[in-house]
Amino acid sequence: MTNRVLLLGGTAEARELAAALVGRPDTMVVSSLAGRVADPRLPLGEVRIGGFGGPEGLARWLVEHAVDALVDGTHPYAARIRSSAVLAAGSTGVPYLRLERPGWTAGPGDRWHRVPDLAAAADLVPRLGRRAFVTTGRQGLAAFLHLTGVELLVRVVDEPTVPLPGNVTLLRDRGPYQLAAERELLLAHRIDVLVSKDSGGTYTMAKLAAARELGLPVVLVDRPAPIALPAVAAEVAAALAWLETVLAPARPDAPPTAPADGGATVGVPADGGQPG
């Protein structure tokens, strides 16, 4: 038999897990991306892009596609889809795992100011500096646009959909970032305060090391309040071990199962190339 896994993706860990599952004769994985980034990094294997329509829509998709396990590897700040996934898994009886990398931990020399949300971050910025490097993403940018007397260097992947005032300098880029380049960026723009989410991982942590070296304060937005989760893994190896416990072993004589139909999908070759 072939086990069907739905992987809610978008993170480096989700892509790593998809790569580990692609090619297994006993497992078919579909990675689902929200579609909020115009040109996302696509994982290996079958990819579905777009929402499900809340927990009810996701539950329907799980049943219609006979999903055997649901792994939620979305961004730590994607609270809505996490809640929908937990509810959908609970209502359908599909085993659920949250794959989430740990947040960052302050070390010697760090000047971190933790705040509960973007609004609190925006309130704190003018008390710490006059030239802020804002790296909290395009969707939360509006929280900072009312600030006056502060120059904002804003780094995003996609072009913002809201008009930007004259005190905003836009930088479009995406990680991973290197320490030397981050240090040079902070110095070139005379940044005196950094604003970040507590995303964790290594892709974007170089900015924190650069701020530490330069003695800059960091406004760090905490992750959304946790909810009760059936199972959690902090790394891909643990997620693979969990899947071994919940998926049925393949029968040697079982024929391969065709990919599930439904949803917008983008096929990605096993060598990692882009779709044709």
Side-chain angles (χ1 to χ4, degrees), residues 126-152:
R127 289 181 266 157
L128 296 176
R130 288 294 176 264
R131 303 184 69 86
F133 183 26
V134 180
T135 63
T136 52
R138 174 174 60 93
Q139 291 181 314
L141 183 55
F144 299 91
L145 298 186
H146 69 282
L147 295 177
T148 58
V150 180
E151 295 294 318
L152 303 176

Side-chain angles (χ1 to χ4, degrees), residues 130-138 141 144-145 147 150-160 162-173 185 188-191:
R130 288 294 176 264
R131 303 184 69 86
F133 183 26
V134 180
T135 63
T136 52
R138 174 174 60 93
L141 183 55
F144 299 91
L145 298 186
L147 295 177
V150 180
E151 295 294 318
L152 303 176
L153 174 63
V154 175
R155 184 162 65 193
V156 294
V157 175
D158 291 329
E159 191 77 22
V162 295
L164 302 179
N167 66 325
V168 174
T169 299
L170 189 67
L171 174 61
R172 290 188 60 185
D173 197 6
L185 181 67
H189 290 269
R190 294 182 287 123
I191 299 299

Side-chain angles (χ1 to χ4, degrees), residues 9 11 21 26 29 44 51 88 98 105 108 129 138 143 145 162 194 201 220 226 236 239-240 247 254 258 260 263:
T11 60
L21 294 175
D26 61 345
V29 58
L44 298 181
R98 171 66 181 162
T105 301
R138 174 174 60 93
L145 298 186
V162 295
L194 168 66
L220 201 63
V236 172
L240 288 170
L247 297 180

Side-chain angles (χ1 to χ4, degrees), residues 232-276:
V232 179
E235 57 187 20
V236 172
L240 288 170
W242 178 84
L243 285 170
E244 293 291 339
T245 68
V246 299
L247 297 180
R251 298 196 314 269
D253 58 341
T257 302
D261 187 24
T265 61
V266 179
V268 181
D271 63 2
Q274 295 299 310

Side-chain angles (χ1 to χ4, degrees), residues 5-11 13-19 21-22 28-34 41-50 52 61 71 264-266 268:
V5 176
L6 176 62
L7 172 54
L8 306 179
T11 60
E13 292 78 16
R15 291 192 295 274
E16 184 182 344
L17 179 59
L21 294 175
V22 167
M28 194 217 48
V29 58
V30 176
S31 295
S32 179
L33 307 182
R41 287 190 177 98
L42 296 177
L44 298 181
E46 186 177 343
V47 179
R48 177 192 186 278
I49 297 178
F52 291 94
W61 202 96
V71 179
T265 61
V266 179
V268 181

Side-chain angles (χ1 to χ4, degrees), residues 59-273:
R60 208 162 35 244
W61 202 96
L62 294 175
V63 172
E64 290 174 356
H65 295 81
V67 172
D68 298 295
L70 171 61
V71 179
D72 175 10
T74 55
H75 194 273
Y77 289 79
R80 182 178 301 178
I81 185 60
R82 184 186 316 138
S83 176
S84 291
V86 171
L87 291 172
S91 66
T92 59
V94 174
Y96 167 97
L97 174 74
R98 171 66 181 162
L99 172 59
E100 181 171 305
R101 56 181 177 259
W104 291 311
T105 301
D110 284 320
R111 298 173 56 196
W112 291 3
H113 301 261
R114 287 190 173 272
V115 293
D117 51 39
L118 292 173
D123 288 342
L124 183 56
V125 163
R127 289 181 266 157
L128 296 176
R130 288 294 176 264
R131 303 184 69 86
F133 183 26
V134 180
T135 63
T136 52
R138 174 174 60 93
Q139 291 181 314
L141 183 55
F144 299 91
L145 298 186
H146 69 282
L147 295 177
T148 58
V150 180
E151 295 294 318
L152 303 176
L153 174 63
V154 175
R155 184 162 65 193
V156 294
V157 175
D158 291 329
E159 191 77 22
T161 57
V162 295
L164 302 179
N167 66 325
V168 174
T169 299
L170 189 67
L171 174 61
R172 290 188 60 185
D173 197 6
R174 97 164 98 195
Y177 303 105
Q178 303 301 318
L179 174 58
E182 295 289 75
R183 185 194 307 114
E184 181 180 348
L185 181 67
L186 295 177
L187 290 172
H189 290 269
R190 294 182 287 123
I191 299 299
D192 55 14
V193 57
L194 168 66
V195 186
S196 174
K197 292 179 177 178
D198 186 11
S199 298
T202 59
Y203 264 50
T204 62
M205 69 182 300
K207 62 189 173 185
L208 300 176
R212 181 191 312 123
E213 287 187 5
L214 299 174
L216 303 183
V218 176
V219 180
L220 201 63
V221 181
D222 282 332
R223 295 180 177 188
I227 61 174
L229 298 171
V232 179
E235 57 187 20
V236 172
L240 288 170
W242 178 84
L243 285 170
E244 293 291 339
T245 68
V246 299
L247 297 180
R251 298 196 314 269
D253 58 341
T257 302
D261 187 24
T265 61
V266 179
V268 181
D271 63 2

